[in-house]
Every structure is written in C-alpha cells, then in structure tokens.
Amino acid sequence: MKKLSRILKRFVLISLALAGVLSLATCAFMQQPQFGSLPKGERLEEVKKSPRYSDGKFHNLIERPTITEGYSIVGESWKTLFGNLPRRTPVDSLPSVKTDLKAIPANQNVMVWFGHSSVFIQAGGVTFLADPIFSGKATPLPWGVKAYKGSDVYTADDMPEIDYLLISHDHYDHLDYETVTALKNKVKHVVCGLGVGAHFQRWGYKPEQIIERDWYQKVPVNDSVVIYNESSHHRSGRGFVQNKALWMSYLIKTPANKIYISGDGGFDGRFAAIGKKFDGVDWAVMENGQYDMAWHSVHNLPDEVIAATMGLRAKNLLPVHHSKFTLAKHPWDEPLNKVTELSVGKPYRLATPMIGEVVRMDDSTQLFKQWWKGLN
C-alpha cells in the first residue's frame, strides 16, 4: 500500500508539474502580437461608459446563449472533427477576377468582394475596406483553417489607399493581424467598436488614426458622406478573455447610396429598425455562411438572411461570409445555393460576383453568373 501511495503521489506531482509548464507555455505563447491587447487606461475608461458594458464585459441587447438549447460545444466539436460531413471544402480552385483596384476612376461607385467578409467599397469619392483578410488563414496559428484554392488571389499590396478601414469585430476571420499590419501605411483611418482600438495601437497604428465608436454613433467623413455605427448580436475576443471589445455593423451613407454592412450577428429586430431609420438601403452586404442551428443566435441561418434583407428594405443583396474558409458543417457552396433559391421572387436584386469582380453599384442592369455551379 505504501508503495502504491508513493507511486500515486509521484504521479500527481508530475501531472501538476506538467500542467504548470503547459500553463506557462500557453501564457507565453499568448503574448505574441497576433493576439492583440485588451483595453486599458483611458481606453478602458471609455469602454466602461458604454450602456452596453457591465460586469466587466460587453452585452447584446437581448442575452441569448451562444449554443442553442439541446446542443453542446463538446457534441458539436465532435461532429465537426469526426462526423461524415461531405463537401465542406471545394476540391476545385475557385474562379476569380484580378481587378486593378488602383485604376478604378475615383468617380465610380463600386464594390469588390475578396471572399469571406472582405469587401472594398468606393462610394462618394471615398474608399472603404471592410474586414480584410489576405493572410490565407482564419486563425492565429500557422496550421489553422486555410483559405480555399483560388480564393486568396489578392494581397495587401493590391489595395489602393484606404480612407476608412472598417472592422466589425475582433475575431480572427474579420480582424487579421498579418493583413492590417501590412496595410498600415495605406490606411488613413480605422473605424471600429469600443475596445478594438487596443489591438491596432499595439500593432503600430497611431492613436489619431483610430476611431472607436459605440452603437448608434456616427463618423462624419465629409459634407456628404457619413458612417453610421449600428448594433449587432454577436461576441468578441482573441484569447481566453471574451467580450472586452464591442461588435458592430455599419451603414455608409453617400449622396447616391446607402450601404449596410452586417458584420457577424444572429437575427433580431435590428434589421427592420435600421430599414425604418434610414428609409431602406440600396445595398445590403449580409453575412451568409458559416451558420448552424447549434449557434444560430450569433450567425444568420439562410432564411434569416432573407428576412434581414427584407427588413432592411434593401434594393440589392450582396451575400458574404462564404467561399473562403470552412468554419461550419455545411457544404461550402450551400450558402450560395440557399440564398439564390430563397431570393426567387423577392423585391431585391441578388448580386453574386466572383472574387475580385467589380460590382457597379449604380448599374441595375449588371448581371452575375452562378459561378459556383459545376465546381466540386
């Protein structure tokens, strides 16, 4: 018995020592710059003033569990890792168009989608870039989720000067460290939610470049262009500490167009409220992909994308958040197939450009191919 007791004691001590070493190694690893920074000092004091902030974190307007009742994180992780989930990643290389963005005349109102939620917008003579990710991966780890073949044809070098970089939230597939550091000398201003600026400041952006806002505030660009900060229902965080920075959607108002950018976020009444507030929108750039019933509180299901677009009273729908990374269990092309099927007979026009294809915002006759059809 004494010998067994000594063995057990030794085993416990070794286990504790290993756990301690692993914890220290993890903490050291998490100090790398790609993990960003938490708000502190004056920035934290501004965060604490937000009506959205209490108990040390940001909250949604109506709290709902991230994981739907009847599902579990362990169960869903098991299905994702070991389940029979066909066609989650395309075998074929995705088609694309390599547009010279720097040659687009300044008086043209255009959008160019780069896969996932990355979109270049030129409207009212101002350039915007939303949630760019050109590093080829959607995680801070080199062996993480990789971009599909053919989906990563653009780099930071291909971008023109950007007047306003818009960040919806600080998850890795929307705020990419490698991309925003490569863009640093091209970006005049960053617009983001409260707390997100801490990441940019750590990464070398100047304080005067960073514009942090709460929901229902705005950023006047000039006499005719305004960026409105609108709500969402989502989460934030780049490490073990969650919801220290605010998630956001945006509406860009120019003389010719009202452009809504949803960012990530589950369905609620905000879409109808925004549609009423702005008397409809011309373009809805809507999250449509990486969804699941298990976490539909924070990501729209396909029918909810349609309901949101209708609530916004949008004239045109550009679906994003698909065709670059596998972050859910559905087939890679299901978001495009579903949104196309569900949009039949609806009062808006569906725009499904290839990666890099120029969308002419003022041209209601422009046609788009179902480019994903026939790809494996």
Side-chain angles (χ1 to χ4, degrees):
M1 287 294 292
K2 288 184 178 179
K3 184 176 181 181
L4 179 60
S5 178
R6 286 197 299 271
I7 292 172
L8 288 173
K9 188 175 182 179
R10 186 177 299 171
F11 175 78
V12 170
L13 289 173
I14 291 172
S15 298
L16 289 172
L18 288 173
V21 169
L22 182 60
S23 296
L24 288 172
T26 301
C27 289
F29 182 74
M30 294 292 289
Q31 299 309 306
Q32 294 185 86
Q34 64 263 37
F35 294 100
S37 295
L38 296 175
K40 56 187 176 182
E42 292 182 7
R43 177 171 281 112
L44 180 57
E45 292 308 309
E46 288 301 312
V47 162
K48 289 178 178 179
K49 295 176 185 178
S50 171
R52 262 54 66 184
Y53 190 86
S54 64
D55 303 320
K57 61 182 180 180
F58 283 102
H59 297 265
N60 289 300
L61 291 173
I62 299 174
E63 292 291 4
R64 291 178 284 174
T66 301
I67 298 296
T68 307
E69 185 177 354
Y71 296 86
S72 70
I73 294 176
V74 173
E76 294 311 303
S77 298
W78 180 269
K79 291 176 191 175
T80 300
L81 292 171
F82 305 109
N84 182 20
L85 303 168
R87 301 189 66 254
R88 293 177 68 213
T89 299
V91 176
D92 298 331
S93 181
L94 302 191
S96 64
V97 177
K98 194 63 184 286
T99 296
D100 184 354
L101 303 171
K102 300 170 186 176
I104 297 174
N107 63 347
Q108 289 187 7
N109 297 323
V110 301
M111 287 194 288
V112 179
W113 170 66
F114 306 115
H116 206 57
S117 294
S118 306
V119 181
F120 169 77
I121 300 171
Q122 181 174 278
V126 182
T127 55
F128 306 87
L129 183 61
D131 290 355
I133 176 165
F134 304 131
S135 67
K137 54 189 177 64
T139 72
L141 307 173
W143 56 86
V145 178
K146 298 293 180 65
Y148 299 157
K149 288 185 293 185
S151 71
D152 215 32
V153 296
Y154 284 84
T155 70
D157 288 339
D158 295 317
M159 297 300 111
E161 295 293 313
I162 302 299
D163 294 315
Y164 289 87
L165 175 63
L166 307 180
I167 301 297
S168 64
H169 63 295
D170 70 356
H171 285 161
Y172 297 106
D173 60 319
H174 293 261
L175 176 53
D176 181 55
Y177 164 71
E178 293 179 27
T179 300
V180 298
T181 52
L183 286 169
K184 187 164 48 181
N185 294 328
K186 294 189 174 190
V187 171
K188 294 179 183 178
H189 306 283
V190 177
V191 182
C192 56
L194 291 170
V196 178
H199 304 307
F200 283 92
Q201 194 156 345
R202 179 178 182 185
W203 298 336
Y205 279 71
K206 299 174 182 177
E208 55 268 27
Q209 286 179 275
I210 304 167
I211 304 171
E212 292 176 273
R213 288 290 187 268
D214 203 341
W215 296 343
Y216 318 125
Q217 295 182 334
K218 63 183 179 180
V219 179
V221 172
N222 55 40
D223 291 341
S224 60
V225 178
V226 180
I227 303 168
Y228 291 90
N229 308 90
E230 296 296 328
S231 68
S232 184
H233 183 105
H234 203 55
R235 300 179 63 82
S236 68
R238 298 177 72 83
F240 300 118
V241 181
Q242 299 291 298
N243 300 338
K244 296 291 186 179
L246 187 59
W247 42 98
M248 191 78 67
S249 66
Y250 295 99
L251 188 135
I252 302 169
K253 188 175 182 180
T254 75
N257 287 285
K258 290 174 285 187
I259 307 154
Y260 178 70
I261 302 171
S262 73
D264 282 2
F267 185 80
D268 60 20
R270 72 183 180 279
F271 300 107
I274 291 168
K276 182 178 180 181
K277 177 179 178 180
F278 293 99
D279 192 24
V281 303
D282 296 286
W283 284 89
V285 181
M286 290 294 304
E287 174 207 13
N288 173 58
Q290 319 319 314
Y291 48 75
D292 196 290
M293 271 302 300
W295 56 79
H296 90 281
S297 69
V298 291
H299 287 286
N300 286 322
L301 297 173
D303 60 318
E304 293 171 329
V305 175
I306 307 308
T309 304
M310 297 289 287
L312 290 163
R313 289 187 270 160
K315 296 177 183 176
N316 301 275
L317 166 61
L318 176 67
V320 299
H321 210 241
H322 59 82
S323 302
K324 191 161 189 171
F325 303 111
T326 296
L327 299 172
K329 301 194 291 292
H330 58 67
W332 74 269
D333 55 354
E334 182 181 287
L336 285 165
N337 286 326
K338 287 284 188 182
V339 76
T340 301
E341 173 190 336
L342 294 170
S343 292
V344 173
K346 297 298 187 293
Y348 57 81
R349 180 177 62 145
L350 176 64
T352 55
M354 284 187 286
I355 290 172
E357 182 179 356
V358 173
V359 176
R360 302 186 297 273
M361 286 194 282
D362 302 326
D363 181 1
S364 61
T365 66
Q366 184 178 6
L367 299 177
F368 301 94
K369 297 179 181 179
Q370 294 185 7
W371 57 264
W372 62 94
K373 295 291 187 180
L375 294 179
N376 295 311

